[in-house]
Amino acid sequence: MAMHDAQPRALALVLVIGLAGLAVFPIFGADEKFYMQFLAKVMVMAIFAMSLDLLIGYGGLVSLGHAMYFGLAGYTLMSLTPEYEGASLWISLAAALGVCALAALVVGLLVLRTSGIYFIMVTLAFAQMAYYVVHDSKYLGGSDGKYVYVKPVLSFFGWQPFSLDKLAAFYYVILGTLAGVYFLLRLLLASPFGHVLVGIKANEHRMRSLGFPTFSYKLVAFVIAGVLAGLAGYLAAALDGLVNPELLSWHQSGQALMMVILGGMGTPAGPILGAGALKLLELLLTSWTKHWQLLLGLFIVLVVLVFPNGLASLFGKRKRGGAEHG
Amino acid sequence: MAEAAALSVEGLVRNFGGLAAVGGVSLEARTGMLHAVIGPNGAGKTTLINLLSGDLPPSAGKISLYGTDITGLPSYRVSQLGVGRSYQKTNVFLGFTAFENCRLAAQSRLPSSMRFVRRALAYADVNRAAERSLAATGLEARSGELASALSHGEQRQLEIAMTLATSPRVLLLDEPLAGMGAEESSSMVELLKTLRSGHAMLLVEHDMDAVFALADRLTVMVNGQVLASGAPAEIRANPAVQEAYLGEDEPGG
C-alpha cells in the first residue's frame, strides 16, 4: 500500500479529540463570542489550507496565488447580497463556487504549462492581477472593501432550520463543512485520481510514460483546490460580514502556505493543525507583545528546522511500508 | 514465430542544434523477436528510444505501430497504444512500495483515472495486473517493500515490472542490465527471454554477452547512423562493425 493511504493512529486520535473539543466548545463557551468567532475563523482558514495542500502536498504544485479563489468567492457573495436582506445560501454559494471553478480553469490552463519557480511566479502574478482589479474597482468597494450586511439565508424549500445570524449556528455549519472537506479529501486521495496526483508529484515524467495525460489531472486538481478555497472564502466573508482586497492578497496566500508547511504537507490533518497552531500563537503573541510577528517568525523557523515534516509528524511517522534494507 | 512488423521506423531523424543525434534510422521490431541496438556511447541509442516512446518528438521520419502512424504523439498516447519502455537510469517511484509502483502502472490501463470515489485499491483487475507483473519479474516476495529499500538489481527488475504492468505489445528496453552484477545480469537475461513471446522487443544494451544471447536481430549504430543491421552471426562477421565497435574494449556497462 502506498504511504498516502496511511494515517497514523495518534494523529487520528488528536484529530478526533480536536473535533470533539470544537463541537462542545459552544456549549460551555456560549458567552465567549470572541473565542467562538476566533475558532470559527481558524476552521475557515483550516479549510483554505487543506485546499492548498491538495495542490502542494499531493500534486507538488506550489501555488502562491491561492488567495485569489478565497477572495473571489467572498466578493461573489458580497455582490449577490442585497443591502437589507440575506442572499439565498444555495444560490450565492453555487455562484461563488462556480466563479472559482471558472477562474481556476482559466488560470490553470495557463499556469500549469509551467513548473517549479515559474509556477510560483505566475500563480502569484494572476492573484496580484485579481487583487488590483478588486482594489481599484469602485463598484467592489476599492481598497476599503464592502460590507456583507446580512448573512446568507439557509432554506430548504422555504423552511429555515436556523439562522446564520446566530453565531453558534454558523459555528456548527463551519465545523460541519470542515469535517466534510476533510473526509472529501481523504476519499479523493484514496481514489485512482488521488494516486495519480501523488504519482505526478513524485515523478511526472514517468507518469506520462506510463500512459497518464498528466496535464488533465493537474488541471482537475487545480480546479478542485480552487473551488474548496472558494468555499472557505465564502464562509469567511459571511462570517466577518465584510470583504476587502486583503482576502486576495499574497499575504493571505502566504499565510495558507505557512499553515500547510507548519502542519505538514501531504497529510490530510496537517493543514488543520497548522491553521490552529498559527492562529492560536498569533492570538497569544499579539496579546503579549507588539513585536509578535518577530516571535511568530522565529517559531515557524524553529518548527521547520526541528520537524521538517511539520507538526503532524509529532504524532507518528506518516510513511508506511517496511523500511528494512534487503 | 515472426509476424508482421509491430513497430516500424523509417528515416527517423532527431537534430539537437546542428548535431544529428539520430540521423535517418530505419528498423523494425516484430512480435516474438528481440531486436537489439548496439553501438558506442553517444551513438544515439537512447535518443532513438526516446523518439520511439514519444519522450522526444522527431525532427523527421515516420514511426508506425501495427501500420498506424504514431509519429509525434506524446508519450502517454504512445504508452496507451501499447508501447512500454524502461529507463536506463532507474526511474521508479522510490517512496512507494513495489506493489504500488506496479499498481499505479496498471491503473493507467483503466479507460480513465478521473475516478474520485471508489478506493484505488478496490480495483481488483488493477491489483491482479500488478501482482502478475511482480510475479513475472520475480519480485512477488518484495511486494510490500518501499522501492527505495530494494537492491539496485531489484529496482531494475521493478522498472521492467512497471512496464509490464501496462500490458504493452511492444517493449523498449534501455540498458536493463546497466550497473548489474554477474548474477543479477544472468537472471535478467532469463527474464528477458521469457518476455520474447507475446512482445515485440527493442533492446539497447552494452553487455555484448547478453546481446548475443538474446538478440534475433541486431542493429549497430554509430554517430546516429545505422552502420549495419542483420542476424547476430552476420553482424559478428561484419568487418566494418568489428572496426567501429566490437573490436574495441568494452565500456563496461
Side-chain angles (χ1 to χ4, degrees):
Chain A
M1 273 210 257
M3 62 181 180
H4 47 277
D5 287 325
Q7 171 98 316
R9 205 163 285 169
L11 187 56
L13 194 68
V14 167
L15 204 70
V16 169
I17 292 173
L19 283 178
L22 286 169
V24 299
F25 179 81
I27 299 169
F28 301 104
D31 299 327
E32 303 282 357
K33 291 276 184 230
F34 174 81
Y35 288 107
M36 227 200 284
Q37 181 92 16
F38 169 77
L39 287 175
K41 199 65 192 292
V42 171
M43 290 190 280
V44 165
M45 288 307 290
I47 297 171
F48 183 40
M50 277 196 285
S51 76
L52 182 61
D53 192 32
L54 178 67
L55 291 183
I56 298 179
Y58 297 98
L61 301 163
V62 182
S63 166
L64 197 50
H66 208 48
M68 177 177 165
Y69 312 101
F70 188 83
L72 280 180
Y75 272 89
T76 308
L77 171 65
M78 183 275 290
S79 308
L80 292 176
T81 303
E83 201 160 331
Y84 299 111
E85 53 183 312
S88 154
L89 185 136
W90 299 126
I91 292 173
S92 58
L93 182 61
L97 300 187
V99 165
C100 288
L102 194 67
L105 182 69
V106 172
V107 172
L109 276 170
L110 297 166
V111 300
L112 289 170
R113 291 171 196 286
T114 66
S115 61
I117 188 83
Y118 302 101
F119 183 80
I120 298 176
M121 294 318 291
V122 288
T123 50
L124 175 63
F126 273 102
Q128 287 300 94
M129 273 160 59
Y131 172 84
Y132 281 107
V133 166
V134 169
H135 186 273
D136 297 343
S137 151
K138 230 180 201 137
Y139 168 73
L140 296 173
S143 60
D144 293 336
K146 266 193 170 178
Y147 288 105
V148 180
Y149 288 101
V150 191
K151 300 250 184 294
V153 177
L154 175 67
S155 121
F156 298 93
F157 304 104
W159 174 62
Q160 295 178 22
F162 48 80
S163 162
L164 294 181
D165 285 330
K166 284 195 66 178
L167 181 57
F170 204 166
Y171 177 98
Y172 280 114
V173 166
I174 293 174
L175 179 60
T177 309
L178 173 72
V181 169
Y182 173 79
F183 285 109
L184 190 84
L185 284 174
R186 296 224 52 194
L187 198 69
L188 192 74
L189 291 165
S191 74
F193 175 83
H195 282 245
V196 170
L197 202 58
V198 175
I200 289 173
K201 184 188 181 187
N203 189 342
E204 179 171 4
H205 177 248
R206 186 62 197 250
M207 288 299 281
R208 280 172 64 83
S209 84
L210 287 176
F212 293 102
T214 53
F215 184 85
S216 316
Y217 291 95
K218 289 196 291 183
L219 185 60
V220 170
F222 198 79
V223 171
I224 293 173
V227 168
L228 292 178
L231 181 60
Y234 178 93
L235 292 172
L239 182 69
D240 289 343
L242 65 93
V243 291
N244 61 45
E246 285 308 304
L247 297 180
L248 292 87
S249 69
W250 69 268
H251 296 102
Q252 185 76 6
S253 298
Q255 197 176 40
L257 190 61
M258 273 194 284
M259 288 170 176
V260 170
I261 293 170
L262 195 62
M265 283 184 275
T267 53
I272 305 179
L273 286 179
L278 198 73
K279 283 292 177 190
L280 198 64
L281 209 64
E282 197 179 292
L283 184 73
L284 290 174
L285 292 175
T286 45
S287 65
W288 183 48
T289 164
K290 65 179 181 191
H291 303 295
W292 62 276
Q293 283 181 315
L294 184 69
L295 293 172
L296 191 65
L298 280 173
F299 173 76
I300 291 169
V301 169
L302 208 67
V303 170
V304 170
L305 284 176
V306 181
F307 309 109
N309 293 326
L311 294 172
S313 62
L314 277 172
F315 305 103
K317 282 173 73 129
R318 66 197 169 100
K319 285 181 185 169
R320 168 141 77 174
E324 71 260 38
H325 291 268
Chain B
M1 281 292 287
E3 297 168 22
L7 187 72
S8 121
V9 180
E10 284 166 45
L12 203 60
V13 176
R14 172 68 200 199
N15 299 315
F16 291 116
L19 173 81
V22 172
V25 168
S26 300
L27 51 77
E28 280 182 356
R30 289 165 184 273
T31 305
M33 290 182 77
L34 189 146
H35 190 148
V37 178
I38 61 172
N41 285 325
K45 306 180 301 292
T46 292
T47 305
L48 175 66
I49 297 264
N50 283 334
L51 294 172
L52 298 180
S53 67
D55 281 307
L56 275 177
S59 307
K62 190 179 166 194
I63 307 167
S64 318
L65 183 67
Y66 295 100
T68 310
D69 188 358
I70 62 161
T71 319
L73 291 183
S75 58
Y76 68 87
R77 279 297 297 151
V78 174
S79 164
Q80 285 168 356
L81 291 170
V83 180
R85 80 164 287 185
S86 74
Y87 286 84
Q88 178 184 1
K89 268 181 72 184
T90 303
N91 200 359
V92 301
F93 299 97
L94 291 172
F96 299 174
T97 60
F99 176 76
E100 174 63 9
N101 269 279
C102 292
R103 201 208 58 77
L104 195 55
Q107 188 187 307
S108 71
R109 300 304 112 166
L110 291 176
S112 164
S113 281
M114 293 287 182
R115 299 171 184 215
F116 305 95
V117 179
R118 204 168 144 212
R119 294 177 68 238
L121 300 177
Y123 288 79
D125 290 353
V126 174
N127 292 345
R128 267 197 296 276
E131 281 157 12
R132 263 201 312 274
S133 66
L134 285 170
T137 51
L139 282 174
E140 63 267 68
R142 311 290 278 158
S143 168
E145 296 289 335
L146 287 179
S148 57
L150 300 180
S151 71
H152 175 75
E154 287 171 331
Q155 287 182 358
R156 302 296 300 163
Q157 284 167 279
L158 182 59
E159 178 83 33
I160 307 280
M162 288 169 72
T163 308
L164 290 179
T166 65
S167 316
R169 295 183 288 176
V170 176
L171 277 172
L172 310 172
L173 305 172
D174 195 359
E175 295 196 36
L177 300 174
M180 278 192 164
E183 203 170 310
E184 289 173 330
S185 285
S186 66
S187 71
M188 180 63 86
V189 168
E190 290 311 308
L191 167 62
L192 297 181
K193 274 182 186 162
T194 65
L195 298 179
R196 186 169 2 209
S197 74
H199 295 104
M201 294 170 75
L202 196 75
L203 170 75
V204 165
E205 187 49 65
H206 273 302
D207 183 330
M208 285 306 121
D209 293 337
V211 165
F212 281 97
L214 287 165
D216 300 296
R217 199 175 169 82
L218 264 173
T219 291
V220 184
M221 279 180 75
V222 174
N223 293 331
Q225 310 276 346
V226 173
L227 181 68
S229 191
E234 289 168 42
I235 296 297
R236 217 194 278 267
N238 186 319
V241 174
Q242 283 176 352
E243 189 180 338
Y245 186 53
L246 289 176
E248 292 172 16
D249 269 351
E250 261 309 291

